[in-house]
Amino acid sequence: MAAGDAIEEAVFDPLIKELDTKVAQLETNAKAQHPPTRKELEIFVWKCGRVVRLLVKPEASNAREIFWSECKGLLKKCLIIEKFNPSSFTSEAVRPDIVENDLLEMLRQLTRYTSQRKSGRIAAPDVVQTLELGEARKRKRETEEEEKKQKEKDDAWQKRRDQKFNSWAFDQMGSKWDDALSDAEEECPDKKKNGSCAYGRQCGFCFRE
């Protein structure tokens, strides 16, 4: 899409480089078993949001504004977007339930997403992505997944039901009525009952091959 092409050089490459640096920093701290304090974590999260916005510059063009809205969709895993202010740090803008691993995973996801936007594997949306649109897409995915799971359950239940019925029917019927030849010595039922056969040459008992 043209919007994606227009911002590639100016945004995608510097952003990926910055995200890679932050991911490497967190991974180094994790290997050294040096977890951040809560205050350090909050500041790091806020700085991540700030640098992403500074590099994207959403006010510069509609394409950049759209991409910033996409980034917010991932940043909200650690940031409370409604309280986030890139000009001023506040602890209230950071989700209270996150830990260092949550931040690391968020940055990895944002790096992958940005790389896929750059390559074109993910197309640029036509409009700014609001939280409402994101929630609507999430609900749609959840509904589709639930419907798929329910269909698989229904199909499995129907298959078991058919197998059970077929097994019961075979037990009741044995082989089909025409699978075996009649007993060579068996008397025609119609003749036995009425004294004569009403089927003539069509009777399988009176005229056996």
Side-chain angles (χ1 to χ4, degrees):
M1 185 177 179
D5 296 339
I7 64 174
E8 180 176 344
E9 293 298 326
V11 176
F12 294 146
D13 289 341
L15 180 55
I16 292 171
K17 181 179 179 180
E18 182 65 32
L19 292 171
D20 283 340
T21 299
K22 292 191 177 301
V23 167
Q25 183 178 347
L26 288 173
E27 289 176 339
T28 298
N29 290 342
K31 290 178 181 179
Q33 297 184 344
H34 181 62
T37 64
R38 177 64 194 181
K39 190 67 175 182
E40 289 172 337
L41 179 63
E42 290 174 349
I43 293 175
F44 199 102
V45 171
W46 174 76
K47 285 183 176 179
C48 288
R50 182 184 64 173
V51 75
V52 171
R53 194 189 184 288
L54 287 174
L55 290 173
V56 175
K57 292 182 174 64
E59 67 281 356
S61 69
N62 184 57
R64 289 169 177 260
E65 184 182 6
I66 288 174
F67 183 57
W68 168 238
S69 71
E70 296 170 77
C71 292
K72 287 192 292 185
L74 292 168
L75 290 171
K76 71 178 183 180
K77 295 179 183 295
C78 290
L79 279 171
I80 300 174
I81 299 299
E82 296 80 1
K83 297 181 179 180
F84 171 67
N85 183 348
S87 301
S88 177
F89 166 76
T90 57
S91 297
E92 290 75 16
V94 180
R95 291 176 58 97
D97 56 343
I98 65 165
V99 294
E100 186 179 10
N101 285 339
D102 297 319
L103 172 58
L104 180 57
E105 181 58 27
M106 181 198 75
L107 292 174
R108 286 171 175 166
Q109 289 179 358
L110 185 54
T111 303
R112 288 194 298 268
Y113 186 89
T114 305
S115 297
Q116 290 175 344
R117 274 284 265 110
K118 174 187 174 182
S119 67
R121 290 183 61 187
I122 296 179
D126 294 324
V127 296
V128 170
Q129 303 301 288
T130 63
L131 293 177
E132 289 77 13
L133 283 175
E135 289 298 322
R137 285 197 303 271
K138 181 181 178 181
R139 287 194 297 270
K140 182 180 179 182
R141 286 196 303 270
E142 290 174 346
T143 299
E144 290 173 348
E145 290 174 0
E146 186 62 32
E147 289 175 349
K148 181 180 178 182
K149 290 178 181 178
Q150 187 60 48
K151 186 178 185 304
E152 291 174 350
K153 289 181 180 179
D154 293 343
D155 290 345
W157 179 86
Q158 185 65 43
K159 184 177 180 181
R160 290 195 300 271
R161 182 177 180 275
D162 291 344
Q163 290 174 341
K164 184 177 181 180
F165 176 80
N166 292 337
S167 176
W168 174 84
F170 183 81
D171 290 342
Q172 294 294 315
M173 298 176 59
S175 57
K176 294 181 180 179
W177 65 271
D178 58 350
D179 279 350
L181 295 173
S182 301
D183 187 343
E185 302 301 324
E186 185 177 356
E187 185 180 357
C188 171
D190 198 44
K191 185 183 290 185
K192 181 178 180 181
K193 181 178 180 180
N194 303 314
S196 63
C197 178
Y199 298 97
R201 297 188 64 84
Q202 295 180 356
C203 179
F205 292 93
C206 297
F207 295 89
R208 294 185 175 91
E209 295 181 357

